[in-house]
Amino acid sequence: MQEAFSELAKKIKAGEFVYTGELEPHNLSTEIGDVVDWAKTLKSIGRITAANVTDNPQSFSAMSSLAASFIIQRDSGLEMVYQLRTADKNRLALASDILAAAAFGLKNILALTGDHTHMGNTPDAKPVFDLDSAQLVDLIHHMVYEGTDLSGNEVQGPRPEINIGVAGNPNQEPLEIEVLKMERKAEVGADFIQTQVVFDVDIALTYLESIEHIGIPTFIGIFPPRSYGQAEFFDKFVSGVTVPPEFLKTFKEFKAISDKAERKKKIDEFNIDYFVNFVKEIRKKKNCAGCHIMAVGYPDVIAPIIEGAEK
Amino acid sequence: MIITKEKPLEEIYASIADCKKVLFVGCDGCTQPPRGLKEAETLAKLVEMKSKMEGKPIECRFTTVVKQCCDESVGNLRVQIGDCDGMVSLACGVGVQILNKVYPEIWTRPAQNTMFIGSEEIRQGPMYEMCLACGDCILEETGGICPVTRCAKGLLNGPCGGCVEGKCELPMEVNGEMVKNDCAWYLIYHRAKELNRLDLFRKYRPPKKRALAMNPRRL
Ligand code: SF4
Ligand code: SF4
């Protein structure tokens, strides 16, 4: 990491084990109030340093993640990781968003390619992909450190102060593809990696080992499921993510519990136990900077997981 | 070659329903599947039959040319056109435009939807899009597999996170069936490995010079 501008980057640099969360503006909605509330909840936990704001996930249009990041950061006081995907904007529009992010006081951008536009709710939209995620890293890095865009045009005024994150994919087969990709992204200036959801701790550990030589601080993504359905969804429908069979089996057993409160208690207990151990394992790796907890709408387990892992 | 797909008969008929005599012009050039004399004849007969059934008979004639994408090659159609008041081209979009340009007094309509520059695996077999004519070929860096075209996102630094078991995240409808293409970057990785040139796969490629592919281009 060249320079630490954000709280997140500063903590990583200081060697602290960092937790990040995730916030998702609703599809095609002008409402952001409950997302701000959720950010406040994350902040009240005390140990969450920043939260990502998704950019048109699965290519369903939602409020601009730039505007949402600004509003949520302003109203909740929690630092945002502004997710920006190249699927919808060319390099010109991306540069203007980076300038705006700087003016809005956003300090982290997660540079993404994004799902194909055809997969969402506007299948006939023109897919842009003028840049890919590595080239977006290159663009941000140029603006921050060289004070130019990729055509060599100079940035006027103070340079943006932004740390650059990239997405990692521990489930890539063969893993060598992912390692070479991360080497590329490191070359153009990525500061940190946040991975896709991982359920199997061995996959997370193998991943961390395989990219250790690159030296980029890495956050492993976790998603404690609230139900068997959610766990099964990840296993079946989320590209590349597999859920260990025993994990699924346990959740299937919970599904059979008829008493709702009892079922929730069991699921919470299991999640806390499972993910405390998970986090304890991954944090042993030197390049593991933290854990990215994507438990949207499931705050009950976040604090206990962090508490348990910090013991 | 240029891959085309025939428009529905209804659509072709509707576009010339106000004509009395129509010349159907095939193309013996690169268009695939073949759209030459035989195909022009078949289409002319079908339209003629349809027009009779509709009670507004159109006299349909047919011919073909070596290639419709050249003003010179279509220059001697005058005799066949005779007193026709309409033409239908079986060529790609280029042919349709050239006929309209060389014979501006007669309106030429398309019989095809022009699909892409591509290949066929076997004669009459499935066809694949292979080149987007980006103006800056990088096949020497990707082991002869084009990511600009064959990666659904045209990425230069792939694969993206959507590559699972070597397949692309984007499902495609092919003749009513949903299929998944091979991920171009997964193929490029294996090709680079085979050539012992993983360095080419690993290499960071800066953004493409889109100006080279800005249409309409001229040479
Ligand atoms: S790199 Fe460009 S010119 Fe070469 S095959 Fe691909 S699209 Fe065609
Ligand atoms: S899965 Fe492969 S082919 Fe499909 S968009 Fe991603 S990199 Fe391109």
Side-chain angles (χ1 to χ4, degrees):
Chain A
M1 189 182 300
Q2 250 171 292
E3 265 188 73
F5 299 113
S6 64
E7 263 323 291
L8 179 72
K10 283 176 188 154
K11 284 194 177 168
I12 298 172
K13 219 168 187 174
E16 214 177 289
F17 192 79
V18 186
Y19 296 90
T20 51
E22 184 144 312
L23 302 165
E24 201 174 309
H26 307 291
N27 287 342
L28 218 61
S29 171
T30 53
E31 290 291 338
I32 191 80
D34 59 337
V35 187
V36 173
D37 291 344
W38 175 234
K40 287 179 184 163
T41 307
L42 287 180
K43 190 170 165 69
S44 71
I45 291 171
R47 277 302 312 261
I48 306 262
T49 302
N52 291 36
V53 178
T54 56
D55 181 12
N56 294 343
Q58 279 100 46
S59 295
F60 282 72
S61 23
M63 180 185 292
S64 146
S65 55
L66 171 62
S69 297
F70 168 64
I71 293 171
I72 304 168
Q73 181 166 291
R74 182 194 63 192
D75 295 353
S76 71
L78 184 65
E79 182 169 284
M80 294 294 117
V81 177
Y82 159 38
Q83 294 195 180
L84 179 58
R85 48 181 241 154
T86 65
D88 316 309
K89 291 172 187 145
N90 64 14
R91 65 193 81 174
L92 191 155
L94 292 167
S96 31
D97 283 359
I98 296 160
L99 295 170
F104 280 162
L106 300 171
K107 300 282 184 196
N108 308 289
I109 296 182
L110 187 73
L112 301 170
T113 300
D115 292 319
H116 198 284
T117 47
H118 184 69
M119 295 170 77
N121 59 352
T122 57
D124 285 322
K126 181 171 184 167
V128 180
F129 302 109
D130 178 27
L131 305 187
D132 56 35
S133 54
Q135 294 162 344
L136 177 56
V137 173
D138 197 9
L139 172 61
I140 303 169
H141 196 269
H142 263 79
M143 292 174 77
V144 173
Y145 294 99
E146 319 280 332
T148 69
D149 65 10
L150 290 176
S151 308
N153 302 304
E154 262 180 55
V155 174
Q156 306 298 310
R159 290 178 186 179
E161 296 189 338
I162 288 169
N163 286 108
I164 314 165
V166 294
N169 180 9
N171 302 298
Q172 181 71 63
E173 273 284 337
L175 201 50
E176 187 180 31
I177 290 182
E178 171 72 9
V179 176
L180 296 170
K181 254 178 73 175
M182 287 306 140
E183 288 181 4
R184 257 189 227 146
K185 289 186 179 180
E187 181 186 315
V188 284
D191 291 323
F192 61 91
I193 299 172
Q194 286 178 316
T195 75
Q196 203 183 38
V197 177
V198 186
F199 284 93
D200 188 333
V201 75
D202 289 332
I203 291 181
L205 295 174
T206 308
Y207 183 67
L208 288 164
E209 279 158 24
S210 71
I211 57 167
E212 199 181 342
H213 66 281
I214 309 172
I216 306 188
T218 302
F219 290 79
I220 298 292
I222 61 166
F223 193 112
R226 266 179 304 173
S227 62
Y228 172 69
Q230 239 179 18
E232 199 193 20
F233 177 83
F234 270 99
D235 197 48
K236 279 198 178 148
F237 299 112
V238 180
S239 292
V241 177
T242 50
V243 182
E246 309 86 76
F247 190 98
L248 274 177
K249 201 174 143 247
T250 313
F251 269 78
K252 203 166 193 170
E253 283 161 21
F254 294 149
K255 196 183 161 192
I257 303 172
S258 53
D259 184 72
K260 227 173 146 189
E262 175 65 13
R263 185 172 54 208
K264 181 176 177 331
K265 190 169 155 262
K266 285 268 194 246
I267 290 179
D268 289 359
E269 278 169 11
F270 178 82
N271 272 327
I272 293 163
D273 182 57
Y274 186 89
F275 287 106
V276 163
N277 289 325
F278 186 105
V279 176
K280 278 186 170 167
E281 278 303 308
I282 57 170
R283 67 183 298 171
K284 287 181 192 157
K285 295 283 171 201
K286 215 173 75 219
N287 55 335
C288 186
C291 183
H292 181 56
I293 310 175
M294 289 175 256
V296 183
Y298 187 19
D300 312 4
V301 293
I302 298 182
I305 289 175
I306 296 177
E307 238 165 66
E310 290 298 314
K311 255 186 220 155
Chain B
M1 60 214 173
I2 309 278
I3 310 291
T4 66
K5 200 172 160 187
E6 195 162 282
K7 283 179 176 288
L9 186 64
E10 281 292 334
E11 197 179 321
I12 301 169
Y13 170 73
S15 75
I16 51 161
D18 58 342
C19 297
K20 300 271 175 304
K21 272 186 206 168
V22 174
L23 180 65
F24 286 76
V25 189
C27 177
D28 296 340
C30 69
T31 311
Q32 284 297 331
R35 310 290 185 197
L37 190 65
K38 205 173 94 206
E39 291 75 21
E41 179 182 2
T42 312
L43 184 60
K45 287 186 171 157
L46 281 170
V47 174
E48 196 166 273
M49 219 170 7
K50 173 140 181 79
S51 70
K52 280 182 189 152
M53 278 159 60
E54 301 287 335
K56 285 205 288 181
I58 303 171
E59 185 186 326
C60 295
R61 304 173 188 171
F62 56 90
T63 185
T64 191
V65 293
V66 179
K67 51 176 181 175
Q68 280 190 32
C69 53
C70 164
D71 293 19
E72 212 177 302
S73 303
V74 302
N76 53 7
L77 270 179
R78 178 64 66 200
V79 185
Q80 283 107 311
I81 293 173
D83 57 349
C84 284
D85 56 349
M87 278 202 281
V88 170
S89 161
L90 279 85
C92 67
V94 181
V96 183
Q97 296 186 60
I98 295 306
L99 288 183
N100 275 294
K101 176 180 151 198
V102 177
Y103 302 102
E105 67 285 9
I106 305 170
W107 180 6
T108 301
R109 282 82 157 178
Q112 311 293 329
N113 289 319
T114 302
M115 304 302 289
F116 48 80
I117 304 179
S119 69
E120 57 187 351
E121 236 160 33
I122 43 162
R123 279 175 70 85
Q124 317 261 319
M127 306 201 193
Y128 299 92
E129 181 163 24
M130 301 296 265
C131 173
L132 278 170
C134 73
D136 182 17
C137 196
I138 54 161
L139 286 174
E140 77 280 9
E141 287 189 9
T142 56
I145 296 160
C146 173
V148 178
T149 313
R150 294 167 67 186
C151 162
K153 300 174 186 171
L155 308 180
L156 294 187
N157 297 286
C160 70
C163 168
V164 177
E165 289 167 6
K167 295 290 177 190
C168 176
E169 69 178 21
L170 185 72
M172 284 259 156
E173 202 205 297
V174 182
N175 303 322
E177 227 181 280
M178 294 311 278
V179 296
K180 280 199 164 179
N181 285 318
D182 291 332
C183 164
W185 277 102
Y186 186 81
L187 297 178
I188 292 168
Y189 163 76
H190 283 289
R191 180 81 173 125
K193 215 173 155 102
E194 189 178 271
L195 296 169
N196 217 3
R197 290 300 306 270
L198 269 185
D199 60 303
L200 287 177
F201 175 84
R202 154 70 180 78
K203 181 183 155 188
Y204 167 69
R205 288 180 185 79
K208 209 156 174 58
K209 293 190 166 76
R210 307 281 176 200
L212 294 169
M214 276 172 199
N215 54 294
R217 286 176 270 183
R218 287 177 60 163
L219 268 182

